Amino acid sequence: MQRNKYAFECEKACRSYKSGDRELWTLTVRARNLPLELQYGPNARHASLTSKPAKEMLATLRDDPASFVLKNNGMMVVAESIRANGEAIELVCNEASPDEDGPGHGVLNGGHTYKVIRHALEQRVIYPRVPDEAVVIVTVGIGIPDDDIAKISRARNTSEKVPLHALRELAGDWQILKEYLPPASRDLVAFKPNEPGYEDAPFNPTDVVRRLALVNNNLFPAERAVHPVAAYTSVGSLVTKFEREKFLVVAPLLPDVLRLEEHVVKFWEKANGRGPDKLAIITAASGCSTESSTLMSGYTASITVADPFVLPVVAAFRVFIRNGEWVRPIDELWERFGARSVRTLWETYKEQGKSSAAVFGRARTSWAAACEHTKNAALQWGLLQVE
């Protein structure tokens, strides 16, 4: 953590609440006096100037800045301490660096408000009246424990719905995912909406969680015919119920899981089309397409394969994990069982009359078909015990 001080003037300051070490202060700050270096660390999302609330606020700042304080809910900042001497304010904040897990101090709520005011102050030609006419109400929280920051953020962030995965990132729940996510994959995963540098990232933490769920035989025991269908149908429930302890065993295998997914898609690339060695023809009817796609491993495939033809195959290999390790190298397991798992899944799809990919992905029989061969092998090897 880095300790920083912010000194500025305000129109009025008062302590509006105190309970033990916790305090709330209300500051009325003219735009020209607002400190512009506060961190966004505690906020559950990074603000964006392109969001609907931001656009509306910018219009007010352009056309009628004096009314901004009446139309805006203001912003909340958490800090270590505050000193008010008349109109002079001094805030002390312990701010987290980018590589630290703690939330740190800074803008907890009202990130869009802060973003648009900073933007308007930088664009004086477009917003000439903002420095002197725009006023914002700043609530400062003192003595707020780190554990409470996520709860307060969830309660106060109401202008836009904050995704649950973003709140869990704020609480530090995804550190285990970051720890084992390969560097090439980290560039493809945005752990917060509008995370700087990751605005175009195709994946978020829910995509990582669902892949780890696929190989979690403790949660979805194949020997009891319990399959991780939720990784396709109820991703939100996986995030809601995520408990770090239940993923500790499989999390170190994340790079292998992503490589296994890549194996499946590469198989489909070779199997797609016509000819004696081909398995299927990828069509839009099956939820697939000939458009290229980027996997979380970083591999760019020449086609897009729908999840119901990939996820059950990856899940089939969960039976080969014992005490956090593959019983044999994953590439060796794929060579032995991969093609058969994919082919069995495709045959099941054809037998079911080539239903829609969505219906097929929700069917437990689809997942059971992909897992049939690996499950039988695991039983023979003594890896599973059927009760």
Side-chain angles (χ1 to χ4, degrees), residues 194-216:
N194 302 315
E195 183 177 4
Y198 297 87
E199 291 86 350
D200 298 323
F203 302 104
N204 63 51
T206 63
D207 298 300
V208 185
V209 171
R210 70 198 298 225
R211 281 159 176 78
L212 286 179
L214 293 174
V215 296
N216 197 327

Side-chain angles (χ1 to χ4, degrees), residues 36-112:
L36 304 181
E37 299 81 22
L38 293 170
Q39 299 299 304
Y40 286 91
N43 207 331
R45 63 177 181 272
H46 285 276
S48 170
L49 293 175
T50 60
S51 67
K52 182 178 179 181
K55 290 179 179 179
E56 292 175 350
M57 283 187 272
L58 286 171
T60 299
L61 289 173
R62 182 190 65 235
D63 302 330
D64 187 13
S67 70
F68 184 80
V69 69
L70 303 175
K71 300 176 180 178
N72 185 268
N73 290 327
M75 49 191 283
M76 182 177 184
V77 174
V78 286
E80 176 188 289
S81 65
I82 183 173
R83 179 182 296 175
N85 184 10
E87 296 179 351
I89 301 295
E90 181 182 273
L91 292 183
V92 176
C93 296
N94 289 321
E95 298 168 345
S97 60
D99 58 347
E100 287 185 281
D101 300 333
H105 294 152
V107 180
L108 176 66
N109 181 42
H112 285 91

Side-chain angles (χ1 to χ4, degrees), residues 232-233 283-288 305-309 312 349 352 354-363 366-367:
Y232 178 68
T233 61
T283 65
S286 63
C288 306
V305 186
D307 284 346
F309 301 105
Y349 178 65
Q352 293 182 4
K354 292 189 175 181
S355 60
S356 72
V359 173
F360 186 67
R362 290 194 296 266
S366 306
W367 296 73

